[in-house]
Amino acid sequence: MSVLASEWLKIRSVRSSHLTVGISLAGILLGLGLAWVTADMYDNAAPAHKPGARLAELEEVVLMVPQLCMGIMGVLTMTSEYATGSMRTTLTAVPKRWPVMAGKSVVVSVIALFTGSAVVFGTYLVCRSLIDDRFGGIYQVPLTDKLPLLISLILTVPVFALLGVGLGAILRSISGAIVVLVGAIHVIPIIVGNLPEPWSDLLGSVMIGALPHELVGDTNTVYGSLLPPAAAGAVLVAYALLPLLVGTWLLRRRDA
């Protein structure tokens, strides 16, 4: 508990944590703007075009904001201590080292879980209110039916936060870890999508963007061959745990 308390104090006392949480929550405003613009476009469209008009679910679009911000928070949680030299003090106070990784992981993932929940549910409720029955009633689905997918989307946010912690421990470089993190969100899925068959389908099914739909057994996705829910859950856990395990192993073997 003392390690958790110290890590919570470290995170909440630095400006970057407030900034990353604030930008994440601003994703709700982004969703509001997108919903307002798309609703206005629909209302001004020709009547003949309205029946075939379709819209991506905006909470999935906005989700990239808290994913990236919480991932960066995870990176900074590790790399900032290496950059300032305070990691030596931390490891002197907690010589076993693995509790340091555990404490940082727990605090960051809890913050990411609450932040992701606020952004996903906030964006969904805003879009449901503004878009209403437009675009084929995409936001007219009962919340109880939509809830499993929303929860699956939320779970990806703490996964990115833990991925950031792991990458920060492995690379010990702010820029290097953030580059890898951004690549996981934007670059790798684009590359995978342009691969020849069957590789685009096979690799597309393990991209983080595909996993929320796969967790709920939803086949309405732009990704390739879908994994069963149990396999999708295992892949999502692996995204979080494997970098943490490697980072913990390196932390125990390397000097601060």
Side-chain angles (χ1 to χ4, degrees), residues 8-94:
W8 166 243
L9 178 61
K10 291 176 190 176
I11 289 177
R12 69 183 178 89
S13 62
V14 295
R15 187 179 302 173
S16 61
S17 299
H18 299 275
L19 185 62
T20 50
V21 172
I23 294 174
S24 297
L25 295 176
I28 301 174
L29 298 179
L30 174 60
L32 173 65
L34 292 174
W36 183 82
V37 170
T38 52
D40 184 66
M41 290 175 61
Y42 183 91
D43 292 339
N44 292 317
H49 295 162
K50 290 183 179 180
R54 293 294 179 265
L55 178 70
E57 296 178 67
L58 297 180
E59 61 272 12
E60 295 190 43
V61 177
V62 171
L63 183 66
M64 290 188 291
V65 177
Q67 283 177 339
L68 180 59
C69 288
M70 293 297 99
I72 290 174
M73 176 186 282
V75 168
L76 294 175
T77 300
M78 288 299 303
T79 56
S80 61
E81 292 203 44
Y82 284 113
T84 60
S86 60
M87 183 60 77
R88 297 186 183 90
T89 304
T90 298
L91 297 181
T92 300
V94 190

Side-chain angles (χ1 to χ4, degrees), residues 72-254:
I72 290 174
M73 176 186 282
V75 168
L76 294 175
T77 300
M78 288 299 303
T79 56
S80 61
E81 292 203 44
Y82 284 113
T84 60
S86 60
M87 183 60 77
R88 297 186 183 90
T89 304
T90 298
L91 297 181
T92 300
V94 190
K96 285 187 177 181
R97 300 196 175 194
W98 70 263
V100 174
M101 286 291 288
K104 292 180 184 295
S105 300
V106 170
V107 173
V108 169
S109 60
V110 170
I111 294 173
L113 182 62
F114 280 99
T115 303
S117 300
V119 174
V120 170
F121 280 115
T123 303
Y124 173 77
L125 294 175
V126 165
C127 293
R128 186 181 177 92
S129 174
L130 289 178
I131 294 176
D132 198 24
D133 60 350
R134 300 173 178 88
F135 299 99
I138 185 174
Y139 280 100
Q140 291 292 298
V141 178
L143 178 59
T144 52
D145 295 341
K146 188 73 175 179
L147 192 59
L149 179 59
L150 294 178
I151 293 174
S152 298
L153 293 172
I154 290 168
L155 291 177
T156 64
V157 180
V159 166
F160 266 90
L162 294 175
L163 178 60
V165 174
L167 291 174
I170 293 169
L171 300 175
R172 299 200 292 188
S173 165
I174 297 175
S175 58
I178 291 178
V179 166
V180 174
L181 190 70
V182 172
I185 301 176
H186 298 293
V187 180
I188 295 178
I190 295 174
I191 295 174
V192 167
N194 287 280
L195 292 175
E197 299 293 348
W199 297 108
S200 61
D201 283 350
L202 294 174
L203 295 177
S205 65
V206 298
M207 296 292 101
I208 292 183
L211 297 177
H213 286 273
E214 293 170 341
L215 282 171
V216 298
D218 183 8
T219 59
N220 184 25
T221 170
V222 298
Y223 293 92
S225 302
L226 295 178
L227 297 174
V235 173
L236 188 63
V237 170
Y239 270 109
L241 287 188
L242 290 181
L244 284 177
L245 292 175
V246 174
T248 302
W249 181 75
L250 291 174
L251 183 65
R252 296 178 65 183
R253 296 179 63 87
R254 295 190 300 202

